[in-house]
Structure formats: structure tokens, C-alpha cells
């Protein structure tokens, strides 16, 4: 009897908590969509906010370069190590170049760049806009006739759209070169064999797929983090919560979009 | 002018049927304890929050039905001094003061620089334009915020707790600036819970508690109010001499 009651209580609490989470998710989705539409409408203000856009491009692009370089390098090294020894066991170690290049260009380069930038750029955006929100700077902008979406979100979004592509290229190249280092030192594979296998294995379709993803990742990472920044409330605790939410949501969106993109492309192309 | 303004957020009544009128050129003071809804009223006047019901009119024009784009034009006639100053950390004092003038692109750079210098001179901060907000004291930050509010010569300036947290000398300097602006014909709306400051500069007073107007009018009518909250809120003021001249005079008249 008592066990039955406890079970019912647990089910009720779980249901209520799930309903509350779903309501919160829908609330955020609505807010994000509205802000995203505002940002898309404001894309024409690129020239007006060119200085802010260039600043953001420097912060997102140049300052993220070392992180993305290292991320790509290690991904390539690990991929070459994992696959190389398997291939070696049945005498196909020349395929390492092909596998690393394909893996980096089609998937890992874009995803690793997306995840690293979701953390780095996402946290930067949400903490900057969140502290502006808490210190009434956003209110000051609105009170003086400035639309914060146009002046703060659009430059960050445009900068992400421009810079995610070259950063993904950096991750791809560093990953392929990292793989080449492992192939030559650990697998005793001549670098020219590796390089030849890597380059011949790549098709135009792979490059198109690999370099389309960063644009979508950049757009969503920028808008999600800016949305959480502008929606910050509740002091420093609230800012911490917003930062966590933004990074988690951006990372999950990166992986989800990657899955959808890969599936759709495989089915269509 | 506010007419029967109500604001309800998440089932909570934040503002309840507030009606009040601010005369052109007056210094209108919204008094009340923390959490009474004073800053919320200011944000409603600015159009940052839309009232659930009621009407806000400025010079006879209803601003409650305006969209964001139309509201921008109304807001350009107003200056705001926020409680936390809301200065942009990454910009210098000069850039902060000239930021919105530059954004509106209505003036050439030389004219903006001249206006910024004039505004900084008005708040006695000449030559401090190259400093960053981090390098300023609380009083200086407040004066920069006032300079930013006055630089575009607005008709109305809204102040949210302008003297809270300042030492008496800096607080007096801020009150002097508000008086100087009144002399220029600027309408001021001051939100404060500091009674001494309120009665030093105010022409008209509105006492707010829990989102409703408890008493409104001149200093005299506030003091003659029989509402128990008025007596409770004013008790410190009544027992602490010396009193500001206007307050003493009003008290004498009320008696």
C-alpha cells in the first residue's frame, strides 16, 4: 500500500518536472526563434555595424585559432592511431591517409570546430551580453533607440558565419597533418603515400558537405548564445546558469545538426 | 501622463491602476520603499515594458500602442540615468557620452565631439574623456551617465535612484545638476527612496507602495495625507533635523 503511494508520488513528481521542463524548452524555443528572425531581418545593417563585426571576427577567428588548431591536430592524430594499427594488421595501412582525410573533412573538422567554438565563443557571447543585461546596458541601448539585436547579435552572427569556415579549414588541415605525423613515425608510412591516399580519397561532395556545416553551426551557436545572454536574469548565479545552458544547448544543436545533415546528404546526394 | 496603468507578470500584480501627471518643466519625484514598483514605472514610461492595461501619454500622444520602431523616436526625446549608470565598460567616457549621437548619425564627428565636451563640462568632468568607467569613482560614473543623458538635449530626463550609494558631497553635486537642468526647462522624473534628496529638488511627489499610488501632489499634500503608510515612510525624516528648506516650509504649512 505504502509502496504504491510512493510510486504514484514519484510518477507525479517526475511528470510535473517533465511538464515544467517542456514548458521551459518551448518558452526558450519561442524566444530564440523571435530573436533569430529579428537578427535575420537586421542582417542588412552589416555596414552600419562593420567595426563591431570586424572586432568580433578578430575575437572569434584570430583568438580561436590556437584552440581549433590543437583540437584538429589531436583529432587527426587519434584517428590515425586508431585506424592505422587496425589497417596494418591486414596490410592496408596506406588507407590511413584516405580515412583521416575523409573523417576530418566530412565530419570531425566541422564538429570539433563547432564544439570548441560552442564552448569558447558561446561562453564569451553569453557572458558579455548577460553582464550587459544585468548592468542595464541593454536597457540603456533600448532606451536610446538602439535595437540590441541589431547592434549586438547581428555583428556576432555575421562574424561567426564568416569565421567558422576558415577555422574548420584549419582544423581539417591540422588533423590531416597530425595523421601524417603518426603515419610516418608510428606506422612507418612514407608521407608521400599518406598524402597521395588522403588527396585521392576526397571528392568534391565531401568537401561541399564538410564546408557547409560550419555555416549552419556558426549561425546557431551565435544566435543561441546571444539569446541566452539577453535572457539572463537573477544576478551572477543567473549568469552562470545562462552560460551553462547556452554551451550545453549549442553543443547539442551542433551534434543534432551534424546528424541531420549527414543523413540528408547521404540520402539526397 | 499615466492613466490607470496596470502591469501583471507571471500572475503577480506589479503595478496596480497607477494614474499620475507630470507637468512640463517640473521635477516629479516618485517616492517609495525598495520593491515598490518605482523602477518598473520608469521602464513603462520608457516603453521598455508594456503595461497590461492603461495608457501612457506624452504631450497628448498615446505611446502604449506604438511598435518598437515608432517607440525609438519617442525615446530619442528622453534621457535616462540608470541606477547602476549602465555605462559601456569597453568605451571611454567620451565614447560613452557620444555613443548614441554617433549611432544616430545626425551630426558630423566634429559636432559630436563639441557636444560631448559641452556635456562633460556641464557635469564638471572636462578633460576626463579618455578615462574608462573602471577608472572612475561612483560619483564620477553618475555624472558621466548624466552627461550621456543630456548630450542630445532631451525634453525629459528620467533618473533612477540618482543619489543612492553616493557620499553627501557627490549626492549634492548630482542634485545641483538636476536643478540646473530644471532651470533649462527640462522635465525631470526622479525615482528615489531618499526623502531628503526628494524634497530638496522635487516640485511634485508621488508616493508608491506595492505598485499602487498611496499619495500624490505637492510636498504639502503629501505631508497632510492621513494614510498610515505616509507617516511610517516619513517617520525618519520627521524625526531627523536639519530638514531641507522646502520640506520644513511644507511641514509648517501643513501644520
Amino acid at each position: 500500500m505504502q509502496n504504491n503511494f510512493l510510486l504514484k508520488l514519484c510518477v507525479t513528481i517526475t511528470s510535473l518536472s517533465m511538464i515544467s521542463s517542456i514548458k521551459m524548452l518551448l518558452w526558450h524555443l519561442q524566444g530564440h526563434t523571435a530573436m533569430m528572425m529579428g537578427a535575420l531581418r537586421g542582417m542588412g545593417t552589416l555596414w552600419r555595424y562593420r567595426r563591431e563585426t570586424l572586432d568580433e571576427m578578430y575575437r572569434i577567428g584570430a583568438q580561436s585559432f590556437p584552440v581549433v588548431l590543437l583540437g584538429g591536430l589531436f583529432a587527426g592524430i587519434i584517428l590515425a592511431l586508431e585506424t592505422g594499427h587496425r589497417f596494418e594488421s591486414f596490410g592496408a595501412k596506406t588507407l590511413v591517409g584516405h580515412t583521416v582525410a575523409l573523417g576530418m573533412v566530412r565530419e570531425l573538422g566541422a564538429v570539433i570546430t563547432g564544439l570548441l567554438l560552442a564552448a569558447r565563443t558561446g561562453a564569451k557571447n553569453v557572458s558579455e551580453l548577460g553582464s550587459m543585461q544585468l548592468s542595464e546596458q541593454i536597457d540603456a541601448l533600448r532606451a536610446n533607440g538602439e535595437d540590441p539585436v541589431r547592434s549586438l547579435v547581428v555583428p556576432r552572427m555575421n562574424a561567426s558565419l564568416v569565421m567558422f569556415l576558415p577555422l574548420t579549414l584549419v582544423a581539417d588541415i591540422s588533423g590531416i597533418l597530425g595523421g601524417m605525423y603518426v603515419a610516418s613515425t608510428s606506422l612507418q608510412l612514407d608521407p608521400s603515400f599518406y598524402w597521395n591516399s588522403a588527396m585521392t580519397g576526397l571528392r568534391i561532395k565531401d568537401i561541399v558537405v564538410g564546408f557547409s556545416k560550419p555555416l549552419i553551426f556558426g549561425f546557431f551557436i551565435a544566435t543561441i548564445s546571444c539569446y541566452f545572454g539577453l535572457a539572463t536574469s537573477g544576478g551572477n548565479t543567473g549568469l552562470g546558469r545562462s552560460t551553462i545552458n547556452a554551451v550545453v544547448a549549442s553543443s547539442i544543436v551542433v551534434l543534432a545538426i551534424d546528424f541531420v545533415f549527414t543523413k540528408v546528404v547521404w540520402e539526397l546526394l | 501622463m499615466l492613466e490607470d496603468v496596470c502591469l501583471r507578470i507571471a500572475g503577480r500584480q506589479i503595478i496596480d491602476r497607477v494614474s499620475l501627471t507630470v507637468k512640463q518643466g517640473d521635477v516629479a519625484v516618485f517616492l517609495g520603499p525598495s520593491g515598490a514598483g518605482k523602477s518598473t514605472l520608469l521602464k513603462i514610461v520608457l516603453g521598455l515594458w508594456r503595461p497590461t492595461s492603461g495608457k501612457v501619454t506624452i504631450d497628448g500622444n498615446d505611446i502604449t500602442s506604438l511598435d518598437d520602431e515608432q517607440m525609438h523616436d519617442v525615446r530619442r526625446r528622453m534621457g535616462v540615468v540608470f541606477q547602476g549608470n549602465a555605462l559601456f565598460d569597453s568605451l571611454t567616457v567620451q565614447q560613452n557620452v557620444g555613443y548614441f549621437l554617433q549611432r544616430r548619425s545626425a551630426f558630423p564627428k566634429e559636432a559630436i565631439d563639441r557636444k560631448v565636451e559641452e556635456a562633460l563640462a556641464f557635469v564638471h568632468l572636462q578633460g576626463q574623456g579618455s578615462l574608462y568607467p573602471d577608472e572612475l569613482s561612483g560619483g564620477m560614473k553618475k555624472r558621466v551617465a548624466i552627461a550621456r543623458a543630456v548630450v542630445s538635449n532631451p525634453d525629459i530626463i528620467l533618473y533612477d535612484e540618482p543619489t543612492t550609494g553616493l557620499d553627501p558631497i557627490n549626492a549634492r553635486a548630482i542634485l545641483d545638476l538636476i536643478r540646473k537642468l530644471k532651470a533649462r526647462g527640462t522635465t525631470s522624473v526622479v525615482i528615489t527612496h531618499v526623502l531628503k534628496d526628494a524634497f530638496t529638488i522635487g516640485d511634485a511627489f508621488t508616493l508608491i507602495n506595492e505598485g499602487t499610488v498611496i499619495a500624490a501632489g505637492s510636498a504639502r499634500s503629501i505631508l497632510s495625507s492621513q494614510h498610515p503608510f505616509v507617516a511610517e515612510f516619513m517617520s525618519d525624516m520627521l524625526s531627523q533635523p536639519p530638514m531641507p528648506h522646502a520640506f520644513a516650509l511644507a511641514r509648517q504649512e501643513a501644520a
Side-chain angles (χ1 to χ4, degrees):
Chain A
M1 184 74 179
Q2 201 180 8
N3 280 348
N4 205 7
F5 171 74
L6 280 174
L7 186 70
K8 276 183 183 169
L9 189 71
C10 284
V11 169
T12 313
I13 291 171
T14 313
S15 309
L16 285 175
S17 149
M18 274 179 71
I19 289 169
S20 153
S21 301
I22 290 167
K23 268 171 77 178
M24 190 56 85
L25 180 71
L26 290 174
W27 169 260
H28 283 313
L29 272 176
Q30 186 194 14
H32 177 250
T33 308
M35 196 209 71
M36 209 165 61
M37 299 314 286
L40 287 172
R41 276 197 303 272
M43 276 185 88
T45 55
L46 181 64
W47 181 248
R48 191 175 176 205
Y49 297 107
R50 60 192 178 281
R51 241 175 57 187
E52 286 83 350
T53 309
L54 286 173
D55 280 350
E56 290 302 326
M57 281 169 67
Y58 170 70
R59 285 185 218 160
I60 293 170
Q63 292 188 345
S64 301
F65 179 81
V67 182
V68 170
L69 184 83
L70 285 175
L73 184 73
F74 284 119
I77 286 173
I78 294 163
L79 196 59
L81 272 175
E82 286 288 349
T83 56
H85 289 296
R86 301 272 145 92
F87 285 143
E88 198 177 19
S89 63
F90 49 91
K93 64 181 179 183
T94 47
L95 283 175
V96 174
H98 178 100
T99 310
V100 171
L102 200 63
M104 288 306 300
V105 171
R106 274 193 78 107
E107 293 295 332
L108 285 177
V111 171
I112 282 175
T113 308
L115 290 176
L116 288 173
L117 294 185
R120 194 186 179 281
T121 310
K124 180 193 86 69
N125 286 345
V126 78
S127 57
E128 278 176 4
L129 300 194
S131 60
M132 284 183 81
Q133 176 68 38
L134 294 175
S135 60
E136 295 179 307
Q137 290 175 45
I138 303 289
D139 282 342
L141 284 174
R142 292 180 65 205
N144 284 280
E146 277 277 312
D147 180 356
V149 172
R150 288 182 184 192
S151 58
L152 298 171
V153 179
V154 173
R156 283 166 172 80
M157 189 179 81
N158 285 332
S160 295
L161 285 173
V162 174
M163 296 313 293
F164 271 41
L165 202 66
L167 285 171
T168 303
L169 184 67
V170 167
D172 289 350
I173 292 173
S174 63
I176 294 171
L177 292 178
M180 188 161 81
Y181 172 75
V182 169
S184 63
T185 55
S186 187
L187 304 170
Q188 282 75 47
L189 186 68
D190 190 85
S192 61
F193 277 109
Y194 173 90
W195 192 252
N196 198 33
S197 157
M199 291 303 113
T200 51
L202 284 177
R203 292 165 300 168
I204 294 292
K205 179 181 150 186
D206 303 321
I207 294 168
V208 170
V209 170
F211 288 113
S212 304
K213 287 175 187 173
L215 295 173
I216 305 169
F217 292 166
F219 174 77
F220 278 101
I221 290 169
T223 53
I224 288 171
S225 56
C226 288
Y227 165 73
F228 277 106
L230 291 177
T232 300
S233 62
N236 291 334
T237 318
L239 183 56
R241 204 170 39 235
S242 287
T243 310
I244 292 168
N245 287 343
V247 173
V248 170
S250 306
S251 305
I252 288 174
V253 165
V254 163
L255 295 172
I257 290 173
D258 187 50
F259 160 67
V260 173
F261 208 86
T262 306
K263 187 160 173 54
V264 168
V265 165
W266 272 117
E267 281 173 9
L268 292 181
L269 297 176
Chain B
M1 190 168 84
L2 275 73
E3 257 179 80
D4 271 337
V5 168
C6 293
L7 179 72
R8 208 174 164 80
I9 299 174
R12 252 186 76 212
Q13 194 74 35
I14 311 290
I15 299 293
D16 192 12
R17 284 180 296 144
V18 167
S19 298
L20 56 95
T21 306
V22 176
K23 278 193 216 155
Q24 202 171 352
D26 264 7
V27 176
V29 181
F30 294 179
L31 278 164
S34 303
K38 309 186 295 290
S39 299
T40 309
L41 272 181
L42 184 133
K43 287 183 181 172
I44 288 175
V45 172
L46 274 169
L48 298 180
W49 286 359
R50 285 187 193 284
T52 319
S53 62
K55 218 162 72 167
V56 181
T57 53
I58 295 176
D59 291 341
N61 302 315
D62 182 2
I63 63 162
T64 27
S65 53
L66 300 182
D67 62 26
D68 263 0
E69 213 53 50
Q70 293 166 314
M71 202 56 215
H72 286 340
D73 296 330
V74 176
R75 286 177 190 143
R76 281 171 190 171
R77 291 184 51 206
M78 300 189 217
V80 198
V81 179
F82 285 94
Q83 187 171 0
N85 306 314
L87 300 177
F88 303 118
D89 311 324
S90 55
L91 304 182
T92 63
V93 165
Q94 187 165 24
Q95 289 166 334
N96 260 290
V97 175
Y99 183 81
F100 295 112
L101 281 183
Q102 205 181 2
R103 280 277 164 245
R104 289 167 200 168
S105 310
F107 306 100
K109 194 183 175 304
E110 296 73 34
I112 293 174
D113 289 346
R114 202 176 55 246
K115 277 172 175 286
V116 169
E117 280 308 315
E118 281 170 15
L120 287 176
F122 178 74
V123 297
H124 311 298
L125 282 176
Q126 304 97 314
Q128 312 284 327
S130 59
L131 297 176
Y132 281 88
D134 277 355
E135 300 169 297
L136 304 175
S137 68
M140 286 167 92
K141 280 182 191 167
K142 191 65 77 182
R143 282 188 278 155
V144 175
I146 292 178
R148 188 172 69 180
V150 302
V151 73
S152 56
N153 279 325
D155 304 326
I156 306 161
I157 300 185
L158 310 167
Y159 304 84
D160 192 358
E161 303 280 5
T163 55
T164 302
L166 296 183
D167 61 81
I169 295 169
N170 270 310
R172 210 158 37 236
I174 300 300
L175 297 178
D176 284 343
L177 289 175
I178 297 173
R179 271 199 292 243
K180 265 167 78 179
L181 285 164
K182 176 185 158 65
R184 281 185 182 184
T186 310
T187 306
S188 299
V189 176
V190 181
I191 283 174
T192 185
H193 63 264
V194 185
L195 291 171
K196 183 172 167 286
D197 297 346
F199 286 103
T200 305
I201 52 166
D203 296 313
F205 304 86
T206 306
L207 182 60
I208 299 162
N209 188 36
E210 292 177 355
T212 54
V213 173
I214 303 293
S218 62
R220 185 180 170 176
S221 63
I222 292 275
L223 287 172
S224 55
S225 167
Q226 298 301 307
H227 198 290
F229 180 77
V230 178
E232 191 191 341
F233 191 70
M234 302 282 176
S235 60
D236 276 359
M237 187 81 184
L238 294 165
S239 61
Q240 276 182 15
M243 290 168 282
H245 178 67
F247 183 84
L249 203 69
R251 193 180 170 202
Q252 205 175 15
E253 284 177 24

